[in-house]
Amino acid sequence: MSAAGPYDVVVVGAGIVGLATARELLARRPGLRLAVVDRAAQVAAHQTSRNSGVIHAGIYYAPGSLKARLCVDGARRMYAYCERRGIATERVGKLVVALDDGDLPGLAELERRAAVNGVRIRRVDGDGLREIEPHCTGVAALHSPDTGIVDFAVVARALAEDVRGAGGELLLGREIRSIVRRARGRTLVDQHGEAIETVALIGCAGGWSDRLAVADGGPQDPRIVPFRGAYLRLRPEARHLVRGLIYPVPNPDLPFLGVHLTRHVSGDVLLGPTALLVGARDAYALHRVRRRDLGATLRWPGTWRVARRFWRPALTELATAASRRAFVRGFARYVPELRVADVQPGWAGVRAQALARDGRLVDDFVFDERPGAVHVRNAPSPAATSSLAIADLIADRAEATMT
């Protein structure tokens, strides 16, 4: 068995969080022997490149949570990084829209959270929201002028360049299948039986983060379950219907922000995403099922507990995924001029959602630490927005294991 390394640090996962973490460690410790390893043949192959590209301001997140702190800090850092690297961003702004009086308590709670989190917003009435989004309807809204858009895959590629430029290596197309813990360090074994030797390990494996952590001796709880999010796109002649971002008041019981209308830096306007539990952690095509992934989901007690709790929303998601007309009808509540003829197919992503054994959908970022290792066990949205701030936190914790 041949071996690569030895390295001081191996980061598993070449998405935006893993690459940002590698960059941060190399900046702190020039000359560090570091490698980023990923199962895919290119960086940013999964969640980083398959999302709506929103730089979130931090409106939604419970005050005091890691999401609240890291999103606000991360958004500031993301705009600054993109400006330095010449990466296009647009602060197009976001409206969180109350359709009727029933949405107003939820809107008030978001207003409270934004104030505590230090997020700049203003509340507008129906006339005020139409000044911002002329084709939108509602009784009130929160306007976030600092919410923006970027192509996170472009950011990730820039981070990869930074890593290489600082002396780090990228080992792509190598899936870690097992980990052998040694007196000082670890041996990671890939799908070809080839070894990678390292003193410290950082796991940023996204949809496969639980498997990596368990292979390293971590707990089974929480388990990653895959939710497929499908998007539609407005046809070019209908893009004038949306200037920026239009979001609903979210369901407080679910860690999803609901389907929304999002202008993308490419010029597209996206509608979505849905949130459908699927049978593979890379189910970008709905029919894709992987026996190991499906079995892991079905054997997990939390799956059945969450299904009993949320069966009504699950049926709604299923109906929406099955019918373009039903999908568009939901958006037409916010933009009444929208018609089925105005949309065309978009793309799909898969959200790696951590699910606890008790059926709780884990909402906040979760980190596992043990001697010589830090594992990111849950990093859903706004992880891309927060990535540079998350990297700082991981680096702090990783350095403690390296001393």
Side-chain angles (χ1 to χ4, degrees):
M1 181 171 66
S2 61
Y7 297 101
D8 298 312
V9 183
V10 165
V11 178
V12 178
I16 195 168
V17 173
L19 292 165
T21 300
R23 172 183 173 272
E24 178 65 25
L25 284 168
L26 288 163
R28 292 186 183 195
R29 296 196 175 194
L32 191 72
R33 296 169 300 171
L34 180 147
V36 180
V37 181
D38 199 282
R39 61 192 291 127
Q42 64 278 337
V43 303
H46 296 290
Q47 292 178 107
T48 298
S49 61
R50 293 176 175 268
N51 58 72
S52 53
V54 176
I55 301 176
H56 292 281
I59 297 172
Y60 302 98
Y61 314 116
S65 66
L66 284 173
K67 276 189 176 183
R69 176 165 64 88
L70 298 176
C71 181
V72 172
D73 185 26
R76 176 183 58 80
R77 296 187 188 206
M78 183 59 64
Y79 281 122
Y81 178 77
C82 290
E83 184 175 0
R84 288 196 306 273
R85 297 291 263 113
I87 298 170
T89 64
E90 297 178 50
R91 299 194 192 215
V92 294
K94 174 194 289 184
L95 281 180
V96 183
V97 178
L99 284 175
D100 52 40
D101 290 349
D103 283 337
L104 293 178
L107 201 70
E109 171 59 16
L110 292 182
E111 190 171 18
R112 182 192 72 83
R113 290 186 177 192
V116 176
N117 293 342
V119 179
R120 186 165 66 108
I121 59 163
R122 66 186 177 102
R123 185 164 178 150
V124 295
D125 60 15
D127 291 335
L129 74 86
R130 279 182 286 278
E131 289 179 7
I132 300 165
E133 288 284 357
H135 301 278
C136 183
T137 188
V139 298
L142 294 181
H143 180 231
S144 168
D146 295 322
T147 300
I149 53 177
V150 72
D151 187 333
F152 285 118
V154 173
V155 177
R157 289 193 289 270
L159 292 169
E161 290 175 4
D162 293 344
V163 169
R164 290 192 181 101
E169 297 181 42
L170 266 62
L171 307 179
L172 303 177
R174 301 186 68 170
E175 178 186 355
I176 302 305
R177 295 283 180 86
S178 64
I179 300 174
V180 179
R181 298 175 66 179
R182 303 196 183 281
R184 189 175 184 273
R186 287 160 169 76
T187 300
L188 315 181
V189 182
D190 70 10
Q191 75 273 32
H192 305 298
E194 297 180 355
I196 303 169
E197 304 286 349
T198 184
V199 176
L201 170 64
I202 298 175
C204 301
W208 295 267
S209 60
D210 56 339
R211 290 182 186 163
L212 185 73
V214 169
D216 194 36
Q220 294 281 344
D221 196 354
R223 174 73 53 84
I224 293 295
V225 293
F227 283 85
R228 183 177 185 270
Y231 292 92
L232 295 176
R233 297 180 297 154
L234 288 185
R235 296 184 184 279
E237 59 271 21
R239 291 175 182 168
H240 69 280
L241 295 174
V242 180
R243 288 179 171 179
L245 313 177
I246 301 173
Y247 277 61
V249 177
N251 181 342
D253 294 326
L254 292 170
F256 306 110
L257 299 181
V259 291
H260 39 269
L261 297 106
T262 309
R263 184 165 289 278
H264 193 267
V265 289
S266 66
D268 274 328
V269 175
L270 307 178
L271 291 75
T274 55
L276 188 65
L277 186 65
V278 286
R281 300 187 184 200
D282 58 348
Y284 305 120
L286 189 56
H287 62 268
R288 178 175 292 171
V289 176
R290 298 192 186 278
R291 183 178 299 177
R292 184 183 181 189
D293 294 347
L294 181 60
T297 297
L298 295 179
R299 288 192 298 270
W300 187 239
T303 302
W304 302 103
R305 290 171 179 147
V306 78
R308 285 194 295 270
R309 183 181 176 193
F310 293 116
W311 64 271
R312 288 183 188 276
L315 288 178
T316 300
E317 286 292 338
L318 190 61
T320 300
S323 167
R324 182 177 296 186
R325 186 172 298 278
F327 197 19
V328 173
R329 189 184 305 127
F331 292 99
R333 298 171 65 207
Y334 297 88
V335 182
E337 295 171 58
L338 191 62
R339 300 289 182 267
V340 174
D342 294 327
V343 302
Q344 57 189 357
W347 64 81
V350 176
R351 175 189 175 110
Q353 174 63 50
L355 178 60
R357 182 179 290 274
D358 63 7
R360 177 174 48 90
L361 289 161
V362 181
D363 187 35
D364 208 359
F365 301 137
V366 176
F367 303 90
D368 244 3
E369 296 176 65
R370 61 185 55 84
V374 178
H375 289 274
V376 182
R377 294 294 297 261
N378 191 48
S381 179
T385 297
S386 311
S387 55
L388 297 171
I390 292 173
D392 201 31
L393 182 149
I394 295 172
D396 285 344
R397 299 184 182 190
E399 284 192 314
T401 74
M402 294 160 55
T403 56

